[in-house]
Each structure stands twice: as structure tokens, then as C-alpha cells.
């Protein structure tokens, strides 16, 4: 392959590396290895029908051409998506900085203090502005946050009612997502004009929008009281910018607040990604879904951050789970939190005041010109009545480069934001046919709802307002962290591969970044063509007939796929099919998604080799034959093995009338060699943030497309703005979900081509088998399939060593930090083990550095076993070692400082130093603190 070909840059090992790796594994070629590893029953022997691989320059040129077919208009549509100025210092040093975007979810807190602090800023920002006690570290979007608020209310309310009341002035896409989530759970959604109509006699929850979709700002205190009187909980979906001027939801008695932080510096991206938020009053924090960052302390008693309350994906409580959210929107939450840090409370108030002043001027001008403007208090959005002429006004504005909201035939909505100028107002007035206006204007904010409480009082929101200070704060935090820009992240099940710069660059282009999700089709031709191509390429790769990119995480793809199965059974009059079989080794999201899709989870055992136990499967099918809806299996299995029984598994389930869901998160082991849509599955989700190069962003964004065979295609997600009509579910708030990052997988597929993709899979499997071969003599490799080979990952069993020496899987994971590595996946899918997925992007030198470190650690464990080091005081139990620790004036440990700090093979000049020692997670759970601690907490 020539240097021009991107595949040579994406794939780490070159020809020499490959030869040496094959030798270690004992095979002559990658083809031969793959023939041996992959069972013939699933093998596909064709060549992927994809366009010939483009070079990086060609791919960028094609994306430029697609981008040029999008029109970037001035967006005044509103509905939860607003223009915003991303501070350049944040764009370049967060969104475009691999130190932030290539980081993994902070399950290893000692190497994640930077992003954990950034997320704590985000949580503090949300709790302060909403006036509630606890906020989580982001939701997928406003619609899904509101839907999670509904189910939280159902769990927390003492009311027996199944009725959930939704304000008719809520965002239409939010109503669609809530309705889609409610239906399988037997919740009845009643949309009520809460201003005019009576509330029902009984209901368990009430969803209010503040300000409303129409722009109206209403005092909801009376409604909150009525809801509480019948035992219902109240969610207020609030605009955080408006809350700098308006009384907080917590101050009017709301139990929950939900919404988006998009307008805090995150581009619209044709629908996403942005960070949704969810906050709760005190007493509900232990019911909060999603990841929650909290303060704890390290081995020296210093404050340190980590995920609180075991909010880890692998520990999602399976069928007892209440939410399936796993990957969230960390990178975007970091941006929004930093926007608040950069502007501070006064800056945010100034931005809000200016935004309001623009809206007030706009309304005054319309009224002066004789247009009927709704006579209500408002913040940034004005609704004008132009009987019969709304479409004409919207069209006239579009001609002037401004998008307005067509509410109905008689009404037009106009939303102002941080980017609105007087010139924009002039265009809007012209579109309405009224003269420009420069008279005096009064504020239209309700005086009795004016905010009087302080917010963002923590010093972090007052200390970084100059660009110099902000730049250094971002650098300080990212230096705390270990991301792919420092070294390998060998995480099983998560495929931390290269996120190429060429793939990332288009994400910041205005033609992709600054497009509203509800912009007219004529302005989004480039986007829709790109998405159509991506969906068709993904269909080709997976062997399915139709793909929807709407789900904005793997978990959401699971829900979409299971809802499609549910609708399919219903369409055949088989609504009684509600049992979902799930192997005991499954990822936690699987069972949680099944519960959310209204299914009953029945667990199928695994045998000693980690495969689905086909005897138990027969028994479970027999028992539930008539009620069988689906089986949900991961392939290759979460044990990293190509199970040979997959084809017969599919056949058995189909014979019983069930559908087969293959969790496609492990597709990195299949691309080019097997197609789930061809070997018997009906539906899969893919994780574009694993196999297809969207970076993990420290825990999101992600995209989890759902792919189906033709019979399920009619039940794929629909347009949230039209979903009621056509009965397809709204999985995300925007039709194409996190469209703004779809150029990444598009570019990956475009530049790899069939040959590059297939080779990548082969090298990924080779790398996993190489690691297994090198480490097998030191740690047992737990499962293997055909001919002793693993798939794209391998599980190292620490349990015998732990039993003999007391050295735990935790100790090894933390000791790896001293050696300059991110730990592999710990204790999933098997407790007491490490799962390693090296991917195709790591070269042999890096693979060897990792294997050497693991072997050296094994020797250290031997020294503990031999009694040379005491069980409670050795380099493993004391890991990770900080610079402060090893340079301290006292050193009471029975091994030299250099052994702690610079174990064998560590490059002294390039050493990564964790900022804290090992963190005590349990302490933080007992003393739950989920906002920024006071500076005094850091004093010695
Ligand atoms: C990552 C993963 C998921 C969940 O995907 P998210 O994007 O985090 O929601 C589901 N199943 C498996 C096997 C996974 O590895």
C-alpha cells in the first residue's frame, strides 16, 4: 500500500510488524488466521460493494462539495436549538483537541481528573441555574432527558395513576419522544393546554416547558401546587440561558428539571450532538439515571473526583434497571460547562439580557407595524399572528436568509439568540412587510418571575474570564488526563481506535455545524445526501436492508431495534409476544433496553466456555415459546469469542416465532468477513463511536444506528416532528440524531474502502491474538473459540493470582498507570478479570510496550507472593504513584521510590503522572457531593 492510502495511516502495524505478529500467533497470513478464527457458518466471502478508497485530500474535497450544498441561514426557528458563539478558545482547545476528544469514559478516575472536574463544573452550572440539588453529567438530548424525567417521576410518585400530563406548549419533538417512550410502558400521555384546561383528577407527573415553545413565560407555581396535591411530581423543561433572568424551577417547587445546554456554545449540528441535562431536588438523587460525578478522596485524604454511586455501564442493573443510558454527551457537556466558566454569571446574564432586548425590539417593531403579537411575557421568542399568511412570511424571510418557525397557517415564531443582530431584525421586519423600528422598547420579562437568587458563585466561574486564563485552565485539566494522544487504551468492548484528524476536521465547518435540525429541506441537501450514503454503506457492511442513524447512542439503537420488533409482532396480531431472551454475559444496556421496550427479560445461561448454553436456550424457548418476542445476543460474544452456535441459535429462535437482535457493538471483529444481516439476525445496532471512529469524547458523543432486514424497515424511527402521524417512534429529538458528527464515519468508510476495512478487521483480530499469545504464559486467557483463537479482544484471568496473593484486578489496573497505560476493561463481563482490545490502530511497538508492562507486573506479583514485599504495602497496592508521593520528604515503603515511579521500561522524560493517588469510591458514596467543592477543601 502506498503512503497516499489512508489505510496505511489508520492501521498501526506495517508489513514487518504483521509478519512478526503472525509468527507469534502461529499463522502464515491474515487470511489463514481469519479462516481459522471465524466459523464458516457465518463467514461471508464476497468483497464489500463500497466506492474505491479515497485519499485524505479527496475525501475532504468530496465533503467540501457536500457541505457546499447545505445553506447556512440565520436561524430564528428556536424550539430548543439556537445560534451560539462557540468561544474560539473552547472550540480549538476542547472540541478540536484530541486530549479531550480521544479520552475514554472516566471509569479510571485517577487518570481522568481533568474531565471529571470539567463535568463537575457542568453539574454545578445546572444545579445552580435550575435551583435543584443534584444534576447528572449529561443526557443525550432534551427529548430523551424529558422522557427519563417521566419514568423517574413514575418511580418516585406515590400516585397509582398511569397518566402523565404534558404542557401543550412543550417542544413538539419532546412530546414525540415522551409519547414514544410512554407507550410500551403502559403510560398514558395527556397533552393539556395547562393555561386554559383543567388538569385530570389523577396523574403521576406533569411536564411543563419554561419558557414555552411559543415563547410564553408563565408562572407555573400554581400548577406545581396542584400537581403535588395529587401526589404527582413536576418536571420543568427549562432554558438555562433564560434562567439567568428568571426564577429557577427549584424555586417554584419543581422536583425535576430537564433540557439542553446546546446554546451554551455548542453548535446546532443539524440536531446534535449536544448535552442534555437532568437535575433533581434532594431526596431523588439516588434515582437519577446516567452518570453522576462526585467528590471523594484519595489515599492521602485529598479531594478527588470519580463517578458516584457505581454509575458504570457494565453495572447498569440489567433487568432491574430503570434507564439504559450509558454513553452520554461528555465532550459537549465539557464545552457547555466551559462556556459558563468563560463567561461567568455576569457574562451569561449579559448575553441573556441582550438576547431578550433583541426579542423585545423585534416584538415592538412588529406591533408598531400592525402585526398581532401574542400578548404574553417572553424571553427570546415571539409568536406573531398573520392569519392565512404565515407560510408567505416564512418564505419571504427565507429569501432574505433567515429561517423562521412556521407554527401553523396563521402563526409564525421568531426566536432570538446570542448571535442575533439588528440587521437580522431588519430582515424579519421586512419579511412581515413592516418598516424598520428604532423606537424605545420596554423589557417583556415578567417582573414577579425575575430571578433574585445568585448562581455560579463558585470561584471557578469567576477566575477564567481572560483568554490566557481560560487557555491555561483547559491545558491544566487536559494534562491531568490520559487519552489516546498519550498511548494505547486497551479497552475490551469499546474499540478505542484512531480518530483521524481528517475525519474530525469537517465537524467544525459552518456548513455542518450551524444548521438547525428543522431547517427547510432545500437548505440541507448536502447533509441528507451524506447521510443517505452513510446509511447505504452501513447497510452494505452489515448485510441489512435499511439503516436509521437517528439513535444517538448504542443504548438508543437497542431501544429502537426492540421497538421495531415489538411493532412487527403487533402488526401481525401477536402483541402477546413480550419475552426477550438475554444471555447472562450481556452488556447491561441490553436488559435495560428490553424493559424499556415493554418486554420481560429471561436470562439464558452461558456454558463453561463462555458461549450461550444451547441446552438452556432450548429450555427457555420451550418454556416461553408462545410469548417469545426476541433474543438479544452480542456477536462476537462479550467474551470476545466467535461462537459457532450462532447460526443454530438464530434458527431456533426463528422457529419459535421470535426475532433475533444482534448487538453490533463488536462489529470491529466482523467488518468484511461476516454480515449479521446475512447470518440470521433481523436487527442490530452499531456503535459508530466504536467501530466507525467517532471519538469517545470522555463518555460521548456517540451514534448508535439501528439496522434492520426489510420486514422491520417500516418500524424504524420516524421524524419527531411528524412521528404522531405515522406511528413510527421518535427515539431522539432530531430526525438524524447527532448528525453533526456523521462526517466522521462517512470519511472513515470513504477513505478505507472495502480492502482497507477488511484489512483493519484482520489486523484487529491478529493484534488481539498476538496479545493473547504473548500473555498466555503469564495470565490465563479465559475464553477462546475455534482452534484456540480469540476474536478482537481477550480476557485475562486474574482470579487465581488474586486468590493466591491478594493482589486484585484493581491493583493491576492502577499499577498500569505507573507504567504509562490506561487500564483494560475491569471485571466485565467476568468479575476479577481484565479484558483487552488492542484494535488495528496500535502498532507492534505499542502492543509490545503493553505486553512488557503486563509481564513486568506479573513479576511484581510474584515478589508479593514470595513475601519480598508485604501484602498491604507494595508497588501494586500503593499504585498509582504520584509525583508528590515519590518526591515527598518521607518514604516509609519497603521498595525504592524509583520502583514506584519508574518501573521497568518507563520513559523517564515522557512519564505520565496521575494528579491523585488511588481514590476511595465508597467514601464519596457515603458523603455524596456532586458539585464543585469549596477551595478550602483542597487546603493541606
Ligand atoms: C458499548 C456497548 C453498548 C452500549 O452503547 P452506548 O453507546 O454506550 O449506549 C451496548 N452493547 C455493547 C456490547 C457495548 O459494548
Amino acid at each position: 500500500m502506498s503512503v497516499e492510502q489512508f489505510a496505511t495511516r489508520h492501521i498501526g502495524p506495517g508489513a514487518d510488524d504483521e509478519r512478526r505478529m503472525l509468527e507469534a500467533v502461529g499463522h502464515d497470513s491474515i487470511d489463514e488466521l481469519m479462516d481459522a478464527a471465524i466459523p464458516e457458518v457465518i463467514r461471508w466471502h464476497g468483497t464489500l460493494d463500497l466506492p474505491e478508497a479515497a485519499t485524505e485530500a479527496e475525501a475532504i474535497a468530496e465533503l467540501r462539495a457536500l457541505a457546499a450544498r447545505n445553506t447556512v441561514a440565520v436561524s430564528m426557528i428556536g424550539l430548543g436549538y439556537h445560534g451560539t458563539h462557540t468561544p474560539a478558545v473552547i472550540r480549538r482547545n476542547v472540541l478540536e483537541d484530541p486530549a479531550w476528544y480521544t479520552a475514554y469514559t472516566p471509569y479510571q478516575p485517577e487518570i481522568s481528573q481533568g474531565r471529571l472536574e470539567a463535568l463537575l463544573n457542568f453539574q454545578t452550572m445546572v444545579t445552580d441555574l435550575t435551583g435543584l440539588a443534584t444534576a447528572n453529567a449529561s443526557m443525550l438530548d432534551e427529548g430523551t432527558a424529558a422522557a427519563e424525567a417521566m419514568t423517574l417521576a413514575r418511580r418516585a410518585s406515590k400516585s397509582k395513576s398511569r397518566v402523565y400530563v404534558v404542557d401543550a406548549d412543550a417542544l413538539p419533538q419532546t412530546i414525540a419522544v415522551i409519547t414514544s417512550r410512554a407507550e410500551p410502558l403502559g403510560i398514558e400521555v395527556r397533552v393539556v393546554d395547562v393555561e386554559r384546561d383543567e388538569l385530570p383528577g389523577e396523574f403521576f407527573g406533569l411536564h411543563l416547558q419554561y419558557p414555552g415553545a411559543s415563547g410564553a413565560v408563565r408562572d407555573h407555581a400554581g400548577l406545581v401546587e396542584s400537581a403535588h396535591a395529587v401526589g404527582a411530581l413536576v418536571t420543568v423543561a427549562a432554558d438555562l440561558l433564560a434562567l439567568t433572568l428568571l426564577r429557577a424551577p427549584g424555586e417554584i417547587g419543581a422536583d425535576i428539571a430537564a433540557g439542553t445546554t446546546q446554546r451554551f456554545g455548542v453548535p446546532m449540528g443539524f440536531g446534535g450532538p449536544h448535552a442534555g441535562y437532568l437535575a433533581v431536588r434532594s431526596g431523588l438523587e439516588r434515582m437519577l439515571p446516567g452518570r453522576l460525578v462526585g467528590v471523594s478522596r484519595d489515599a492521602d485524604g485529598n479531594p478527588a473526583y470519580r463517578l458516584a454511586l457505581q454509575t458504570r455501564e457494565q453495572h447498569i442493573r440489567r433487568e432491574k434497571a430503570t434507564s439504559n443510558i450509558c454513553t452520554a454527551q461528555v465532550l459537549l457537556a465539557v464545552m457547555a460547562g466551559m462556556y459558563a466558566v468563560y463567561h461567568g454569571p455576569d457574562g451569561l446574564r449579559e448575553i441573556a439580557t441582550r438576547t431578550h432586548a433583541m426579542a423585545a425590539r423585534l416584538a415592538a417593531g412588529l406591533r408598531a407595524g400592525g402585526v398581532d403579537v401574542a400578548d404574553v411575557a417572553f424571553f427570546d421568542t415571539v409568536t406573531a399572528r398573520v392569519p392565512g399568511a404565515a407560510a408567505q412570511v416564512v418564505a419571504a424571510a427565507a429569501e432574505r436568509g433567515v429561517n423562521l418557525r412556521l407554527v401553523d397557517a396563521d402563526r409564525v415564531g421568531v426566536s432570538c439568540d446570542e448571535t442575533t443582530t439588528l440587521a437580522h431584525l431588519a430582515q424579519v421586519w421586512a419579511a412581515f412587510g413592516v418598516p424598520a423600528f428604532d423606537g424605545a422598547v420596554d423589557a417583556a420579562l415578567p417582573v414577579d418571575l425575575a430571578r433574585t437568587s445568585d448562581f455560579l458563585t463558585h470561584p471557578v466561574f469567576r477566575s477564567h474570564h481572560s483568554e490566557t486564563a481560560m487557555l491555561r485552565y483547559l491545558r491544566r485539566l487536559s494534562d491531568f488526563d490520559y487519552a489516546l494522544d498519550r498511548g494505547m487504551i486497551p479497552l475490551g468492548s469499546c474499540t478505542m481506535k484512531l480518530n483521524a484528524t481528517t475525519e474530525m476536521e469537517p465537524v467544525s465547518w459552518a456548513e455542518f455545524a450551524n444548521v438547525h435540525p428543522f431547517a427547510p429541506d432545500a437548505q440541507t441537501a448536502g447533509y441528507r445526501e451524506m447521510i443517505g450514503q452513510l446509511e447505504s454503506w452501513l447497510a452494505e457492511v452489515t448485510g441489512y436492508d435499511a439503516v436509521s442513524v437517528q439513535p444517538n447512542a448504542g443504548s438508543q439503537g437497542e431501544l429502537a431495534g426492540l421497538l421495531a420488533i415489538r411493532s412487527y409482532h403487533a402488526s401481525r396480531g401477536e402483541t402477546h409476544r413480550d419475552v426477550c431472551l438475554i444471555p447472562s454475559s450481556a452488556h447491561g444496556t441490553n436488559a435495560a433496553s428490553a424493559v424499556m421496550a415493554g418486554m420481560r427479560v429471561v436470562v439464558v445461561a452461558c456454558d463453561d466456555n463462555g458461549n450461550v448454553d444451547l441446552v438452556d436456550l432450548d429450555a427457555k424457548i420451550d418454556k416461553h415459546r408462545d410469548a417469545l418476542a426476541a433474543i438479544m445476543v452480542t456477536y462476537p460474544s462479550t467474551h470476545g469469542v466467535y461462537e459457532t452456535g450462532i447460526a443454530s441459535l438464530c434458527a431456533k429462535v426463528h422457529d419459535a416465532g421470535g426475532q433475533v437482535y444482534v448487538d453490533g457493538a463488536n462489529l470491529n471483529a466482523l467488518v468484511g468477513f461476516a454480515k449479521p444481516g446475512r447470518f440470521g439476525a433481523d436487527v442490530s445496532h452499531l456503535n459508530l463511536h466504536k467501530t466507525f471512529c467517532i471519538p469517545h469524547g470522555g463518555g460521548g458523543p456517540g451514534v448508535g444506528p439501528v439496522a434492520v432486514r426489510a420486514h422491520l424497515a417500516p418500524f424504524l424511527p420516524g421524524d419527531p416532528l411528524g412521528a404522531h402521524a405515522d406511528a413510527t417512534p421518535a427515539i431522539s429529538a432530531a430526525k438524524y440524531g447527532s448528525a453533526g458528527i456523521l462526517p466522521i464515519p462517512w470519511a472513515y468508510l470513504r477513505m478505507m474502502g472495502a480492502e482497507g476495512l477488511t484489512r483493519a478487521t484482520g489486523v484487529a483480530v491478529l493484534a488481539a491474538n498476538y496479545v493473547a499469545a504473548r500473555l498466555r504464559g503469564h495470565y490465563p486467557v479465559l475464553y477462546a473459540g475455534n482452534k484456540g483463537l480469540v476474536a478482537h479482544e481477550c480476557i485475562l484471568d486474574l482470579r487465581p493470582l488474586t486468590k493466591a496473593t491478594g493482589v486484585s484486578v484493581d491493583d493491576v489496573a492502577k499499577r498500569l498507570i505507573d507504567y504509562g497505560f490506561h487500564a483494560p476493561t475491569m471485571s466485565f463481563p467476568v468479575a476479577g478479570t481484565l479484558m483487552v482490545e488492542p484494535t488495528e490502530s496500535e502498532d507492534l511497538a505499542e502492543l509490545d510496550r503493553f505486553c512488557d508492562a503486563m509481564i513486568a507486573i506479573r513479576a511484581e506479583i510474584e515478589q508479593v507472593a514470595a513475601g519480598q514485599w508485604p501484602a498491604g504495602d507494595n508497588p501494586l497496592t500503593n499504585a498509582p504513584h504520584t509525583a508528590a508521593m515519590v518526591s515527598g520528604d518521607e518514604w516509609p515503603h519497603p521498595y525504592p521510590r524509583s520502583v514506584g515511579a519508574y518501573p521497568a521500561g518507563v520513559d523517564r522524560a515522557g512519564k505520565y503522572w496521575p494528579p491523585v493517588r488511588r481514590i476511595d469510591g465508597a467514601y464519596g458514596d457515603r458523603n455524596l457531593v456532586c458539585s464543585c467543592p469549596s477551595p478550602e477543601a483542597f487546603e493541606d
Side-chain angles (χ1 to χ4, degrees):
M1 284 201 181
S2 98
V3 293
E4 278 240 297
Q5 279 175 293
F6 171 73
T8 64
R9 307 296 186 185
H10 175 85
I11 297 172
D16 284 348
D17 286 357
E18 191 182 305
R19 210 170 310 116
R20 285 163 52 202
M21 289 159 70
L22 280 165
E23 219 167 276
V25 175
H27 284 273
D28 292 336
S29 68
I30 287 185
D31 283 346
E32 197 222 324
L33 169 71
M34 296 304 274
D35 287 345
I38 301 186
E40 189 54 34
V41 281
I42 64 153
R43 185 70 185 269
W44 175 78
H45 287 283
T47 301
L48 293 173
D49 184 13
L50 296 172
E52 179 124 11
T55 65
E56 293 178 63
E58 287 163 353
I60 284 291
E62 285 182 30
L63 279 166
R64 282 271 180 218
L66 286 167
R69 297 180 49 215
N70 294 332
T71 305
V72 181
V74 175
S75 183
M76 302 183 88
I77 297 172
L79 292 180
Y81 303 94
H82 300 276
T84 177
H85 291 303
T86 309
V89 64
I90 294 175
R91 190 190 63 234
R92 176 158 292 192
N93 299 290
V94 178
L95 180 65
E96 299 176 344
D97 184 344
W100 289 99
Y101 69 70
T102 69
Y104 180 59
T105 305
Y107 294 140
Q108 294 290 332
E110 293 84 2
I111 54 139
S112 312
Q113 292 294 298
R115 53 196 185 272
L116 286 165
E117 177 167 332
L119 289 172
L120 208 58
N121 293 345
F122 173 85
Q123 291 178 182
T124 304
M125 165 187 99
V126 173
T127 52
D128 275 16
L129 286 170
T130 58
L132 289 165
T134 309
N136 73 9
S138 77
M139 298 297 285
L140 292 163
D141 60 20
E142 176 157 348
T144 56
E148 297 272 6
M150 169 180 71
T151 49
L152 201 168
R154 182 49 278 171
R155 293 194 298 281
S157 167
K158 295 202 173 66
S159 167
K160 295 262 181 306
S161 169
R162 307 293 305 172
V163 174
Y164 192 62
V165 178
V166 179
D167 180 359
D169 204 15
L171 302 176
Q173 70 274 21
T174 297
I175 298 176
V177 176
I178 286 178
T179 307
S180 300
R181 290 273 189 107
E183 197 266 334
L185 299 175
I187 293 172
E188 183 195 335
V189 173
R190 273 203 221 150
V191 179
V192 174
D193 183 341
V194 293
E195 279 298 289
R196 281 198 195 87
D197 300 334
E198 294 263 310
L199 295 173
E202 281 188 58
F203 55 100
F204 73 84
L206 170 63
H207 175 100
L208 299 167
Q209 191 91 38
Y210 181 64
S214 66
V217 178
R218 300 192 168 103
D219 186 348
H220 290 313
L223 286 164
V224 172
E225 234 173 81
S226 318
H228 285 166
V230 298
L233 272 72
V234 177
T235 298
V236 172
D239 178 335
L240 293 188
L241 189 62
L243 294 185
T244 63
L245 304 179
L246 296 174
R247 196 184 301 163
E251 294 168 349
I252 60 162
D255 304 282
I256 308 170
T260 175
T261 61
Q262 179 268 320
R263 73 190 314 177
F264 278 35
V266 181
M268 293 180 284
F270 196 32
H274 337 110
Y277 75 83
L278 192 61
V280 293
R281 66 162 159 79
S282 105
L284 296 176
E285 55 280 328
R286 283 169 205 266
M287 292 191 181
L288 195 59
R291 295 171 178 146
L292 181 63
V293 177
V295 184
S296 192
R297 60 183 189 191
D298 76 357
D300 288 334
N302 293 319
Y305 312 123
R306 93 279 173 247
L307 294 179
L309 304 176
Q310 299 267 309
T311 43
R312 307 191 33 160
E313 77 202 57
Q314 293 92 349
H315 298 274
I316 286 179
R317 287 167 302 158
R318 304 175 56 87
E319 60 275 18
K320 294 204 183 59
T322 45
S323 161
N324 66 347
I325 185 171
C326 175
T327 289
Q329 301 282 21
V330 169
L331 188 69
L332 306 311
V334 170
M335 289 179 71
M338 288 303 171
Y339 180 93
V341 167
Y342 196 43
H343 289 303
D346 296 338
L348 291 181
R349 221 179 271 114
E350 185 184 321
I351 291 167
T353 303
R354 185 185 175 284
T355 298
H356 175 65
M358 283 291 172
R361 174 161 298 282
L362 174 76
L366 289 174
R367 285 199 180 106
V371 175
D372 175 8
V373 176
D375 185 21
V376 288
F378 60 84
F379 165 60
D380 64 355
T381 300
V382 172
T383 299
R385 272 191 80 80
V386 281
Q392 201 184 314
V393 170
V394 170
E399 252 168 57
R400 293 175 161 78
V402 180
N403 290 339
L404 306 181
R405 174 185 175 211
L406 181 66
V407 181
D408 56 30
D410 305 327
R411 289 178 300 168
V412 176
V414 190
S415 226
C416 296
D417 59 47
E418 182 189 5
T419 68
T420 305
T421 64
L422 290 174
H424 299 156
L425 297 190
Q427 298 295 353
V428 176
W429 287 321
F432 276 91
V434 307
F437 176 82
D438 65 355
V441 177
D442 291 330
L445 285 168
V447 180
D448 44 348
L449 283 179
R451 180 159 193 143
T452 53
S453 56
D454 274 344
F455 54 89
L456 306 188
T457 53
H458 190 275
V460 75
F461 298 105
R462 297 177 181 271
S463 312
H464 309 292
H465 297 173
S466 78
E467 184 166 330
T468 302
M470 188 69 201
L471 177 71
R472 290 177 186 161
Y473 182 52
L474 291 171
R475 176 62 191 258
R476 174 185 155 83
L477 293 190
S478 62
D479 273 358
F480 285 165
D481 287 9
Y482 185 104
L484 277 178
D485 62 336
R486 285 187 191 272
M488 169 180 191
I489 302 183
L491 273 163
S493 192
C494 278
T495 315
M496 297 294 292
K497 53 163 71 174
L498 171 74
N499 316 116
T501 313
T502 293
E503 292 154 6
M504 290 298 293
E505 276 184 333
V507 171
S508 338
W509 297 349
E511 296 88 342
F512 289 128
N514 300 339
V515 179
H516 192 286
F518 310 147
D521 279 357
Q523 296 176 11
T524 61
Y527 243 128
R528 287 178 299 110
E529 182 170 342
M530 177 192 69
I531 291 167
Q533 288 171 349
L534 177 62
E535 288 178 344
S536 74
W537 296 342
L538 292 173
E540 168 61 16
V541 165
T542 55
Y544 285 106
D545 300 306
V547 174
S548 164
V549 297
Q550 185 178 121
N552 45 19
S555 60
Q556 308 303 295
E558 292 175 19
L559 178 61
L562 291 170
L563 289 179
I565 289 176
R566 188 170 180 274
S567 301
Y568 170 75
H569 288 312
S571 75
R572 295 155 46 96
E574 302 205 315
T575 47
H576 56 280
R577 289 194 177 270
D578 68 347
V579 165
C580 187
L581 302 177
I582 299 185
S584 60
S585 64
H587 194 273
T589 50
N590 288 182
S593 299
V595 171
M596 289 167 68
M599 296 183 181
R600 288 183 287 149
V601 173
V602 173
V603 176
V604 181
C606 287
D607 65 19
D608 291 345
N609 300 319
N611 298 326
V612 175
D613 181 338
L614 294 180
V615 177
D616 191 44
L617 176 68
D618 284 337
K620 296 287 157 66
I621 290 178
D622 273 348
K623 182 152 179 229
H624 300 285
R625 184 170 297 274
D626 296 334
L628 186 62
I631 189 167
M632 218 175 171
V633 288
T634 302
Y635 202 86
S637 74
T638 43
H639 292 147
V641 174
Y642 294 107
E643 295 182 42
T644 45
I646 184 72
S648 79
L649 178 151
C650 293
K652 286 170 194 280
V653 171
H654 281 149
D655 285 349
Q659 294 277 291
V660 177
Y661 188 114
V662 166
D663 179 327
N666 288 346
L667 205 74
N668 215 48
L670 298 180
V671 175
F673 289 90
K675 298 182 171 191
R678 293 288 184 86
F679 63 66
D682 301 289
V683 45
S684 290
H685 78 272
L686 320 176
N687 278 13
L688 301 190
H689 47 300
K690 294 178 181 171
T691 316
F692 296 95
C693 299
I694 290 175
H696 263 64
V703 176
V706 55
V708 296
R709 296 205 9 230
H711 64 283
L712 295 178
F715 311 108
L716 283 175
D719 183 347
L721 287 187
H724 307 309
D726 59 12
T728 52
I731 296 295
S732 307
K735 187 173 177 187
Y736 300 109
S738 290
I741 49 175
L742 294 178
I744 301 166
W746 187 98
Y748 176 64
L749 285 159
R750 187 71 194 84
M751 298 191 295
M752 291 294 274
E755 193 191 334
L757 289 169
T758 307
R759 197 176 126 71
T761 306
V763 174
V765 172
L766 173 60
N769 280 287
Y770 176 76
V771 170
R774 275 210 62 194
L775 296 184
R776 190 166 270 135
H778 308 273
Y779 305 89
V781 172
L782 202 47
Y783 300 111
N786 261 3
K787 312 204 169 73
L789 294 168
V790 297
H792 63 313
E793 55 196 2
C794 62
I795 298 180
L796 305 174
D797 194 356
L798 270 294
R799 292 171 300 183
L801 278 174
T802 301
K803 205 160 165 224
T805 65
V807 174
S808 69
V809 66
D810 252 59
D811 296 332
V812 174
K814 304 308 176 191
R815 185 61 173 151
L816 274 168
I817 299 173
D818 290 332
Y819 282 82
F821 283 98
H822 190 294
T825 296
M826 266 167 45
S827 290
F828 174 81
V830 184
T833 65
L834 290 174
M835 182 157 62
V836 181
E837 179 181 356
T839 85
E840 72 277 11
S841 291
E842 300 298 341
D843 62 23
L844 181 56
E846 186 69 355
L847 296 176
D848 278 337
R849 192 171 73 90
F850 174 72
C851 294
D852 292 343
M854 287 299 293
I855 292 166
I857 289 173
R858 179 69 183 82
E860 291 178 346
I861 297 174
E862 211 49 60
Q863 279 176 268
V864 177
Q868 268 165 288
W869 290 327
D873 187 4
N874 58 64
L876 291 138
T877 47
N878 291 332
H881 295 78
T882 59
M885 180 191 182
V886 297
S887 63
D889 294 332
E890 275 165 45
W891 181 258
H893 306 292
Y895 54 94
R897 294 167 198 259
S898 60
V899 168
Y902 303 112
V906 169
D907 167 17
R908 293 189 179 219
K911 163 86 183 169
Y912 165 74
W913 291 104
V916 295
R917 290 187 59 196
R918 197 169 316 179
I919 296 172
D920 177 352
Y923 173 84
D925 285 347
R926 287 193 304 274
N927 307 277
L928 196 62
V929 175
C930 300
S931 53
C932 300
S934 73
E936 290 73 38
F938 292 87
E939 280 173 17
D940 278 338

